[in-house]
Amino acid sequence: MSLVVKPKNYICFERPLTRPDLQQHFVIKNPDDRRAVAFKILTNASSRYNVRPPFGIVDKQSEVRVKVTMVPFEEEPHHCTDAFLVRSAGITEDEQKDLPFKELWAVVSHNDIHDYQLKCVYLAHGVHSEDASEFENNEEEMSISEDDEGFPLPMTTEIPRPYHEEIPTLHNKLSELSQTMMAHQQEIINMRLQLLYMRQQKDFQRGIRALAVVVLCILIGYGSRSLL
């Protein structure tokens, strides 16, 4: 299953890189008329870039436009070793309907997974990415295996999911933590009540013993007077 990624080899950002709103995009196209394609985007610099969408499914003979937003640098960098990896795999209609996105990658054969690399390039000010034809002279598809030594750094970091997709999971975790906290608080209350009861019992026993001593002393004193 071969995807078409445009631009093929590079994604370019024009200097200065300290300014806000540094954005670029690339297109993922599925020319196949038989199967949809699942994809996810990995990078070696996840804290530097915001990618939307970071994963998804490209339907048959369709395309997805991916926006890449760069976090501005504090100082102008001299060179770049950043890169993106578009990992894709063809999926059947049943897999697309019945399986959650994360489980798709567990059932896909390793031979059906294809990787496409996009290296980041920092262009001089005034040189637009549309004019940087020297970066797109290679017409070959960028299909690279996981063990290819051409990667500048290992592509092991997935782009984080959008924050709104994390809200249900975080809400469930918060509910679980709240229930656990309430259970612990109830245990503490029960332990305090038990301790208070034990103290009361102990004080009561001390009072009984003291009262018994007083009564005994009175009886002894009364008996002594009777003998006199």
Side-chain angles (χ1 to χ4, degrees):
M1 179 64 62
S2 178
L3 280 181
V4 176
V5 180
K6 294 183 178 181
K8 296 179 181 179
N9 302 337
Y10 299 92
I11 181 167
C12 304
F13 292 90
E14 181 185 352
R15 296 177 185 271
L17 303 177
T18 55
R19 57 189 171 89
D21 300 327
L22 290 165
Q23 294 184 357
Q24 277 295 348
H25 71 274
F26 59 90
V27 176
I28 303 173
K29 184 177 181 180
N30 176 20
D32 198 289
D33 59 355
R34 296 169 299 172
R35 290 198 297 175
V37 175
F39 74 91
K40 58 181 177 180
I41 301 172
L42 297 87
T43 182
N44 57 2
S46 59
S47 61
R48 176 62 56 189
Y49 303 96
N50 182 12
V51 179
R52 294 295 179 267
F55 54 81
I57 294 176
V58 188
D59 291 329
K60 295 176 288 186
Q61 294 185 322
S62 299
E63 64 182 33
V64 172
R65 182 183 177 93
V66 179
K67 182 174 71 172
V68 181
T69 303
M70 176 189 287
V71 177
F73 285 87
E74 294 183 0
E75 297 181 358
E76 197 70 21
H78 296 289
H79 62 280
C80 178
T81 58
D82 300 343
F84 294 93
L85 190 71
V86 181
R87 178 158 293 172
S88 63
I91 57 175
T92 64
E93 292 184 1
D94 292 338
E95 291 172 343
Q96 184 176 356
K97 292 178 181 178
D98 300 336
L99 292 178
F101 185 84
K102 287 186 176 180
E103 295 183 12
L104 289 175
W105 300 97
V107 300
V108 171
S109 171
H110 181 77
N111 295 329
D112 291 334
I113 296 178
H114 298 273
D115 290 343
Y116 299 84
Q117 184 187 19
L118 286 173
K119 294 183 179 180
C120 291
V121 175
Y122 298 158
L123 300 177
H125 179 63
V127 179
H128 302 289
S129 58
E130 294 82 1
D131 300 328
S133 58
E134 65 270 20
F135 296 122
E136 293 299 329
N137 289 332
N138 184 4
E139 296 297 331
E140 297 179 359
E141 293 290 340
M142 292 294 291
S143 181
I144 305 173
S145 66
E146 293 182 8
D147 298 328
D148 197 299
E149 296 180 355
F151 283 6
L153 288 174
M155 299 291 177
T156 57
T157 306
E158 293 195 23
I159 301 295
R161 292 189 296 173
Y163 294 124
H164 65 82
E165 296 184 7
E166 298 285 353
I167 292 177
T169 302
L170 294 175
H171 185 270
N172 292 335
K173 290 183 179 179
L174 181 60
S175 298
E176 293 176 0
L177 290 174
S178 298
Q179 293 176 0
T180 303
M181 185 179 297
M182 291 177 63
H184 288 324
Q185 289 177 344
Q186 187 61 45
E187 290 180 2
I188 293 173
I189 292 173
N190 293 338
M191 292 175 64
R192 288 180 175 176
L193 290 174
Q194 186 176 4
L195 181 60
L196 179 61
Y197 175 77
M198 293 174 63
R199 287 178 177 175
Q200 290 176 345
Q201 288 291 104
K202 191 173 183 179
D203 292 340
F204 178 75
Q205 292 175 359
R206 286 179 179 176
I208 293 296
R209 286 197 294 268
L211 181 60
V213 171
V214 171
V215 172
L216 182 61
C217 291
I218 293 174
L219 292 175
I220 292 174
Y222 180 77
S224 299
R225 290 180 182 179
S226 298
L227 292 175
L228 294 175

